[in-house]
Amino acid sequence: MNNYINVRLEPAGHERNKNRIKHNFRSVHTQSKLDKSYNNYENKIYNFQDLEPLKVLRKWREEHNTLYKENRYKTVKGKRVKRNENLTNSNSTILEGIITFSEQLKMDLGYKYSKEEWEQTCINVVKEISEYLDTEIMYISFHYDETTPHCHYHFKNYDKKGYSIFHKFNDTEHLSKLQDIGFKHLKKLGMKRGEKKPKTGKTHQKTKQYYIEEQKKLITDLKKIRKKTQELDISTEEKKEIYQEISKLQSEARTELKNIKSQTEELKEEKQGYIKELKVLEKVANQEILNEEEKELLKVLAPAIIQLVPQKDLKTKKTLDNKISKVIR
């Protein structure tokens, strides 16, 4: 089975980014530079800065705010003057990215390539993306405690004038380039470039069913190999080694099959979450009163909504920010 990769950027508001850092650094208590790294039993993190990420964010936020105030202007009575406005929560100082993989990674990791090889290859991807975006890496983290191992990373999200880097590259051409960079490095490990849905013609459910059938087929094939091994003209010890390897692969295939099936419930919960979010946004659009739970949800959604407005359209950003602030008071 092929292992497909997907490289993407995930913009979010300032407060949400702080929470993302805390999430990515969960259960990690020590820190060091890239050559040492720091990690817990299942996750691993490489820090590219001299300070802890939240301290780096504080430092970058201050710098970002200064550049933002110095390079924003408005016209007053025919004269061009500085706006002298501070950053809002919707102005992201950092930008998160993620590299995801199909379930096959769990079968290949440790067999076709080591964790160290996989991590270093992902690091090379992030480094080249950083050069392409002309920015700095804050850190790169690897998660092994979720359904499929994956890689998170955070970049500095402002240029020398305090403008958003994400908005400069948020179009099909530039985002497709990120996929090219990912494939350039990860193809060395036998991985495939992720395809667009219109090209594959597969829905998520059909793809999931395909993986289920593939795992079932693998389990059946391993049983056949086990049976044929009995007929081989080799020593009992050699047969024992083959049986052990087959048992190991069968166990992993059954575990993967169980994981794929369990994702159905996760998707149902995710769908319910989206429905809740849509209802809140509909209420806001219809100027209906929100309850406390809905207000809290809107606080989380607001930065991402405002982030979608083009950076140059400051008036719309500010108006939207003010309207949402009034609703959640």
Side-chain angles (χ1 to χ4, degrees):
M1 190 190 302
N2 290 323
N3 187 3
Y4 289 96
I5 61 168
N6 185 275
V7 183
R8 64 182 186 273
L9 300 175
E10 298 188 331
H14 181 60
E15 290 301 319
R16 195 165 187 174
N17 269 320
K18 283 203 287 190
N19 290 331
R20 291 304 302 166
I21 290 175
K22 291 174 184 176
H23 170 75
N24 291 338
F25 276 64
R26 58 191 181 274
S27 303
V28 179
H29 304 292
T30 57
Q31 172 163 334
S32 62
K33 295 285 282 184
L34 175 63
D35 56 344
K36 297 178 184 175
S37 85
Y38 56 108
N39 56 88
N40 60 15
Y41 293 109
E42 294 179 307
N43 302 317
K44 194 164 186 179
I45 297 169
Y46 295 90
N47 188 17
F48 281 70
Q49 302 296 323
D50 293 321
L51 300 173
E52 294 177 7
L54 287 174
K55 290 182 179 178
V56 174
L57 177 57
R58 197 176 303 125
K59 177 184 173 183
W60 284 359
R61 188 69 173 177
E62 290 174 2
E63 181 185 64
H64 187 191
N65 195 57
T66 299
L67 292 171
Y68 184 86
K69 290 172 73 173
E70 289 177 352
N71 293 282
R72 298 299 185 284
Y73 295 87
K74 60 183 177 180
T75 303
V76 179
K77 296 180 179 180
K79 293 183 178 180
R80 191 166 178 261
V81 298
K82 288 185 179 181
R83 286 182 175 272
N84 201 34
E85 295 173 351
N86 292 316
L87 294 168
T88 65
N89 186 46
S90 63
N91 300 119
S92 302
T93 295
I94 56 176
L95 174 63
E96 184 176 23
I98 183 170
I99 307 175
T100 55
F101 304 82
S102 53
E103 290 91 341
Q104 184 62 28
L105 178 68
K106 292 172 70 175
M107 298 289 289
D108 295 344
L109 198 58
Y111 294 95
K112 289 186 177 180
Y113 39 81
S114 66
K115 277 188 178 181
E116 291 73 22
E117 288 176 305
W118 176 66
E119 287 178 4
Q120 187 56 56
T121 305
C122 289
I123 288 170
N124 292 340
V125 172
V126 178
K127 281 183 174 179
E128 186 165 340
I129 291 174
S130 173
E131 291 173 5
Y132 178 65
L133 300 178
D134 191 22
T135 188
E136 286 184 52
I137 303 170
M138 178 184 276
Y139 69 87
I140 302 174
S141 66
F142 295 91
H143 291 177
Y144 295 98
D145 61 347
E146 297 179 30
T147 305
T148 304
H150 54 277
C151 168
H152 288 270
Y153 47 93
H154 263 113
F155 292 136
K156 179 185 282 188
N157 187 39
Y158 59 94
D159 62 16
K160 293 178 181 178
K161 290 190 174 182
Y163 289 103
S164 168
I165 288 173
F166 175 72
H167 282 295
K168 287 184 182 179
F169 292 88
N170 187 25
D171 57 61
T172 304
E173 181 182 348
H174 286 109
L175 295 179
S176 180
K177 176 67 176 176
L178 304 188
Q179 302 294 337
D180 295 337
I181 292 171
F183 177 59
K184 170 186 167 184
H185 292 276
L186 288 160
K187 70 179 179 182
K188 298 168 187 174
L189 301 183
M191 298 183 188
K192 302 290 183 183
R193 191 183 193 279
E195 295 179 332
K196 295 178 182 178
K197 185 177 175 181
K199 186 174 179 181
T200 60
K202 295 178 181 177
T203 63
H204 181 81
Q205 193 58 41
K206 285 180 181 176
T207 303
K208 179 172 285 191
Q209 189 58 41
Y210 169 76
Y211 286 137
I212 289 173
E213 295 304 321
E214 282 288 300
Q215 293 301 320
K216 286 181 178 178
K217 183 176 180 298
L218 176 59
I219 293 169
T220 302
D221 289 344
L222 287 168
K223 286 180 181 177
K224 290 178 181 177
I225 294 170
R226 189 183 188 95
K227 191 173 182 180
K228 287 183 179 180
T229 302
Q230 296 174 356
E231 303 168 5
L232 294 176
D233 186 19
I234 56 177
S235 68
T236 303
E237 192 61 36
E238 287 174 314
K239 285 184 180 180
K240 187 178 178 181
E241 288 179 5
I242 294 173
Y243 290 151
Q244 287 176 342
E245 187 62 30
I246 290 172
S247 295
K248 187 177 181 181
L249 291 171
Q250 284 177 321
S251 175
E252 288 175 352
R254 290 191 182 100
T255 300
E256 182 62 25
L257 183 59
K258 184 179 178 181
N259 288 337
I260 295 169
K261 288 180 177 179
S262 69
Q263 286 176 15
T264 303
E265 290 304 315
E266 292 175 11
L267 285 171
K268 284 180 181 177
E269 290 179 11
E270 190 175 342
K271 183 181 178 182
Q272 289 303 315
Y274 287 140
I275 291 172
K276 272 188 179 181
E277 291 176 0
L278 284 171
K279 284 182 178 178
V280 169
L281 294 176
E282 281 178 7
K283 275 193 168 186
V284 173
N286 295 329
Q287 297 183 336
E288 296 177 30
I289 298 173
L290 303 183
N291 60 38
E292 291 305 312
E293 182 184 352
E294 290 169 335
K295 285 181 180 180
E296 288 301 314
L297 181 55
L298 183 59
K299 285 181 185 178
V300 176
L301 293 175
I305 295 168
I306 297 168
Q307 189 80 8
L308 294 173
V309 180
Q311 189 68 21
K312 61 183 180 182
D313 196 353
L314 294 173
K315 186 176 179 181
T316 303
K317 271 183 178 288
K318 191 171 182 180
T319 302
L320 188 57
D321 199 6
N322 289 337
K323 284 186 176 178
I324 292 174
S325 297
K326 287 179 182 178
V327 173
I328 59 181
R329 278 176 189 165

